[in-house]
Amino acid sequence: MNEPVFVIPLWADLIAVGLGGIQGALFASGFRGDRRLDFLGVAIIGIVVGMGGGLIRDLLLNVTPTTLQSNWYLLTATGAALVGMLLAGVFQRVNAVILGLDALVIGMFGAFGTSKALVVGLPPVPAIFVGVCAAVGGGILRDVIMGLPVAIMHVGSLYAVAAGVGCLVLAATHALGVDIVVASIIGIVVTTVIRLLAVIFDISLPEQRALYRRKVAVETTAIPIIKP
Amino acid sequence: MNEPVFVIPLWADLIAVGLGGIQGALFASGFRGDRRLDFLGVAIIGIVVGMGGGLIRDLLLNVTPTTLQSNWYLLTATGAALVGMLLAGVFQRVNAVILGLDALVIGMFGAFGTSKALVVGLPPVPAIFVGVCAAVGGGILRDVIMGLPVAIMHVGSLYAVAAGVGCLVLAATHALGVDIVVASIIGIVVTTVIRLLAVIFDISLPEQRALYRRKVAVETTAIPIIKP
Amino acid sequence: MNEPVFVIPLWADLIAVGLGGIQGALFASGFRGDRRLDFLGVAIIGIVVGMGGGLIRDLLLNVTPTTLQSNWYLLTATGAALVGMLLAGVFQRVNAVILGLDALVIGMFGAFGTSKALVVGLPPVPAIFVGVCAAVGGGILRDVIMGLPVAIMHVGSLYAVAAGVGCLVLAATHALGVDIVVASIIGIVVTTVIRLLAVIFDISLPEQRALYRRKVAVETTAIPIIKP
């Protein structure tokens, strides 16, 4: 399967990878005690967050990973992780920087994922799915490798929703005839804004609920209730 | 690598995905306290369980994931997860439904995995392996994403064994000249029955044992004994 | 993407898979109590450690996994895991055997990964990355599936560094015109020696540090400090 001329310019891709690398390093450098990471661990997390989204996207599309076709991706992700690590003290005082960075990175990975999937010929629903996986995949890999609870699975995130709405808007505007580059920019903006608003106003999804009384149901079920 | 005309009809594939989605949602809705999931989390688990097996199969075969070639897979998995969530109270009273559903899903994913692998040209042993990975892969992904111990790794499961025997019977009957569709149906029945018998009669594999006294060996080893 | 005539002979590949399988089984058989594994669990870990590196390599390169093209890989990994399990009592007394085996396995997977990536046409930096992923990937999968902290992420490993330096030397000597087979052997030796020296002399990387006082930075950050 050879993809035709594709739309993501190298510089845009490298910006996403670099921002992801910085974000990953900032995250990783917040750990102490038994979970503290050495230089290498921080670099690995930077690479995972910076490159994970693109790798997952290309695995799902069954195309050769773009991030491995050039030396620049790994050099950018590693360099960004080192910068992030050294400047962690500064950035962590400016919490808004971390959150803004994170929102932008999700938006970019999501938009690149969905637009590449559309160009490769996927129908809109799986194209949106690929975008969401690309947006949140780096974070999931990061959490799994660090042995943390996967952030997007727990109440209060709106993380994947922000990515999903941005990718949906991208696919919809593109279906309406808007150029894929313009549609991608719209998608990035939508995701970033939703994510930032969700953080600022502390919005979260309602907890799941069933049509029947849960207390009784749970007490009679054989499915184990796992306690941490 | 282009696969030739392949045998799994869309409706059969969608049934497996839908049953997987319901099963995933029932599982996810059993969680409380710190581990409770929001709507989105339950939908994600439904998608992971419903589509994970097919994705892992196609990644291992290096073919473009079938589940991303049509809008129906994601819509089915998501819809099934929502149904499963809303009806969790009902289904959980009927524990046999959950277990039966689970056994059937393992059987279908295993049979589809092995038959697709055989059609694509893999030798029998890796074809059986792909089937087992497809059968248990969704559950492994689910456990990893939810931060649970991976169920198939611990004493008392017989989960992977049921899948393995079904896939083995499928590959063997196909090698003997039986049509792949008939062989697949036999494989599904074998896996489902073994799994149900294992649950009903509480069968498990013997614990591992070494040729030498373990107590002494363990006390003199440098391999860390991890305590939970 | 069809790879041209490739360099890894089957016997060399099977030796790496078999040693990985033994190493995985020795590791898995060290567990007791709630984490004890049954026969199947030990076999799974053997397969994961023995075949995980090759699978990850081929997924990243987007080529059909070599380990699934022949019956021998799975038979070797499973057989090696059973041998490892039965002889665990003997091997665990000779701790040096486990460590030496492990160092050799990392070296082989790393060298096979980087050399295959170079033959397939990747630039040197991603080729080294693929080698490191192949070398440490099996161990990461093992830890994730067993619910353990991922070993390479924590202070004191030098695991990935050993693999990285070996793969770097391989890529550099190959770039200087050395035959890929010779370069691979050099790479294996370099990785194995570094890993063994790191264990013998208990070398580790310095902990990460920032340019600014960390204590203050941490206290003012909003990034959660996770406690185990």
Side-chain angles (χ1 to χ4, degrees):
Chain A
M1 183 178 212
N2 288 311
E3 62 264 56
V5 277
F6 184 54
V7 292
I8 307 169
L10 182 63
W11 60 265
D13 225 6
L14 290 181
I15 288 176
V17 168
L19 293 179
I22 292 176
Q23 213 275 338
L26 290 176
F27 182 89
S29 60
F31 289 86
R32 288 293 169 280
D34 281 356
R35 287 180 175 278
R36 75 190 193 281
L37 302 176
D38 57 19
F39 277 119
L40 179 68
V42 175
I44 291 176
I45 294 300
I47 291 173
V48 164
V49 175
M51 295 182 47
L55 281 174
I56 289 171
R57 175 196 65 201
D58 292 339
L59 284 177
L60 289 174
L61 297 178
N62 196 35
V63 299
T64 308
T66 310
T67 45
L68 302 180
Q69 300 302 301
S70 143
N71 291 326
W72 286 109
Y73 288 91
L74 277 156
L75 296 176
T76 302
T78 312
L82 292 178
V83 169
M85 187 168 74
L86 292 171
L87 297 180
V90 182
F91 278 114
Q92 285 178 355
R93 289 165 205 257
V94 195
N95 195 35
V97 172
I98 298 179
L99 288 171
L101 214 59
D102 190 38
L104 186 60
V105 170
I106 298 169
M108 293 182 82
F109 280 127
F112 293 172
T114 295
S115 59
K116 184 164 186 174
L118 289 172
V119 169
V120 167
L122 260 58
V125 175
I128 294 167
F129 175 74
V130 169
V132 175
C133 289
V136 305
I140 293 179
L141 278 183
R142 176 199 68 195
D143 292 340
V144 168
I145 288 183
M146 294 188 73
L148 301 173
V150 174
I152 66 154
M153 290 309 299
H154 296 282
V155 171
S157 66
L158 262 191
Y159 216 80
V161 170
V165 175
C167 295
L168 178 65
V169 170
L170 192 169
T173 52
H174 182 244
L176 294 173
V178 175
D179 179 71
I180 190 85
V181 174
V182 178
S184 297
I185 294 171
I186 295 172
I188 294 174
V189 171
V190 169
T191 295
T192 307
V193 169
I194 292 179
R195 174 66 188 147
L196 287 179
L197 289 178
V199 171
I200 294 168
F201 294 107
D202 199 17
I203 305 164
S204 70
L205 285 178
E207 205 182 326
Q208 55 157 327
R209 62 204 65 201
L211 294 178
Y212 294 83
R213 299 182 309 284
R214 299 306 309 260
K215 196 119 201 295
V216 176
V218 167
E219 283 169 5
T220 59
T221 179
I223 289 188
I225 311 296
I226 309 293
K227 290 179 186 156
Chain B
M1 184 177 210
N2 290 312
E3 62 264 52
V5 277
F6 184 54
V7 292
I8 307 169
L10 181 65
W11 60 266
D13 226 6
L14 289 181
I15 287 177
V17 168
L19 293 179
I22 292 176
Q23 213 274 337
L26 290 176
F27 181 90
S29 61
F31 289 86
R32 287 294 168 281
D34 282 355
R35 287 181 175 278
R36 75 190 192 282
L37 302 177
D38 56 21
F39 277 120
L40 179 67
V42 174
I44 291 175
I45 294 300
I47 291 174
V48 164
V49 175
M51 295 180 48
L55 281 174
I56 289 171
R57 173 197 66 200
D58 291 340
L59 283 176
L60 289 175
L61 296 178
N62 197 35
V63 299
T64 308
T66 309
T67 45
L68 302 180
Q69 300 303 300
S70 143
N71 291 327
W72 286 108
Y73 288 90
L74 277 155
L75 296 177
T76 302
T78 312
L82 292 178
V83 169
M85 187 168 73
L86 292 171
L87 298 179
V90 181
F91 277 114
Q92 286 178 356
R93 289 163 205 257
V94 196
N95 194 35
V97 173
I98 298 180
L99 288 172
L101 213 60
D102 190 39
L104 186 59
V105 170
I106 299 170
M108 293 182 83
F109 280 128
F112 294 172
T114 295
S115 59
K116 185 164 185 175
L118 289 172
V119 170
V120 167
L122 259 58
V125 175
I128 294 167
F129 176 74
V130 169
V132 174
C133 289
V136 305
I140 293 179
L141 278 183
R142 176 198 69 195
D143 292 339
V144 167
I145 288 183
M146 296 188 72
L148 301 173
V150 174
I152 66 154
M153 290 309 300
H154 296 282
V155 171
S157 65
L158 261 190
Y159 216 79
V161 170
V165 174
C167 295
L168 178 64
V169 169
L170 192 170
T173 51
H174 182 245
L176 293 172
V178 175
D179 179 72
I180 191 85
V181 174
V182 178
S184 296
I185 294 170
I186 296 173
I188 293 174
V189 172
V190 169
T191 294
T192 307
V193 169
I194 292 180
R195 174 67 189 145
L196 287 179
L197 289 178
V199 172
I200 294 168
F201 294 108
D202 198 17
I203 304 164
S204 70
L205 285 178
E207 206 183 326
Q208 54 157 325
R209 61 204 66 201
L211 294 179
Y212 295 82
R213 298 182 309 283
R214 300 306 307 258
K215 198 120 202 296
V216 175
V218 168
E219 283 169 4
T220 60
T221 180
I223 289 187
I225 311 297
I226 310 293
K227 289 179 187 158
Chain C
M1 184 176 209
N2 289 310
E3 62 265 52
V5 278
F6 184 55
V7 293
I8 306 170
L10 182 64
W11 61 265
D13 226 5
L14 289 181
I15 287 177
V17 168
L19 293 179
I22 292 176
Q23 214 274 338
L26 290 176
F27 182 89
S29 61
F31 289 86
R32 288 294 169 281
D34 281 355
R35 288 182 175 278
R36 75 190 192 282
L37 303 177
D38 57 19
F39 277 119
L40 179 67
V42 174
I44 292 175
I45 294 299
I47 291 173
V48 164
V49 176
M51 294 180 50
L55 281 175
I56 289 171
R57 174 197 66 202
D58 291 340
L59 283 176
L60 290 174
L61 297 178
N62 196 34
V63 299
T64 309
T66 309
T67 45
L68 301 180
Q69 299 303 302
S70 144
N71 291 327
W72 286 109
Y73 288 91
L74 276 155
L75 295 176
T76 302
T78 312
L82 292 177
V83 169
M85 187 168 73
L86 292 172
L87 298 180
V90 182
F91 277 114
Q92 286 179 354
R93 289 164 205 257
V94 196
N95 194 35
V97 172
I98 298 179
L99 288 172
L101 214 59
D102 190 37
L104 186 59
V105 170
I106 299 169
M108 292 182 84
F109 280 127
F112 293 172
T114 296
S115 59
K116 185 164 185 174
L118 289 171
V119 169
V120 167
L122 259 59
V125 175
I128 294 168
F129 176 74
V130 169
V132 174
C133 289
V136 305
I140 292 178
L141 278 182
R142 178 198 67 195
D143 292 339
V144 167
I145 287 182
M146 296 188 73
L148 301 174
V150 173
I152 66 153
M153 290 310 300
H154 295 282
V155 171
S157 65
L158 261 190
Y159 217 77
V161 169
V165 174
C167 295
L168 177 65
V169 169
L170 192 170
T173 51
H174 182 244
L176 293 172
V178 176
D179 179 73
I180 191 84
V181 175
V182 178
S184 296
I185 294 171
I186 295 174
I188 294 173
V189 171
V190 168
T191 295
T192 308
V193 168
I194 292 179
R195 175 66 188 146
L196 288 180
L197 289 178
V199 172
I200 293 169
F201 294 107
D202 199 17
I203 304 164
S204 70
L205 286 178
E207 207 182 325
Q208 54 157 327
R209 64 205 64 205
L211 294 179
Y212 294 82
R213 298 182 310 283
R214 299 307 307 256
K215 199 121 200 295
V216 175
V218 167
E219 282 168 6
T220 59
T221 179
I223 290 188
I225 310 296
I226 310 293
K227 288 180 186 156

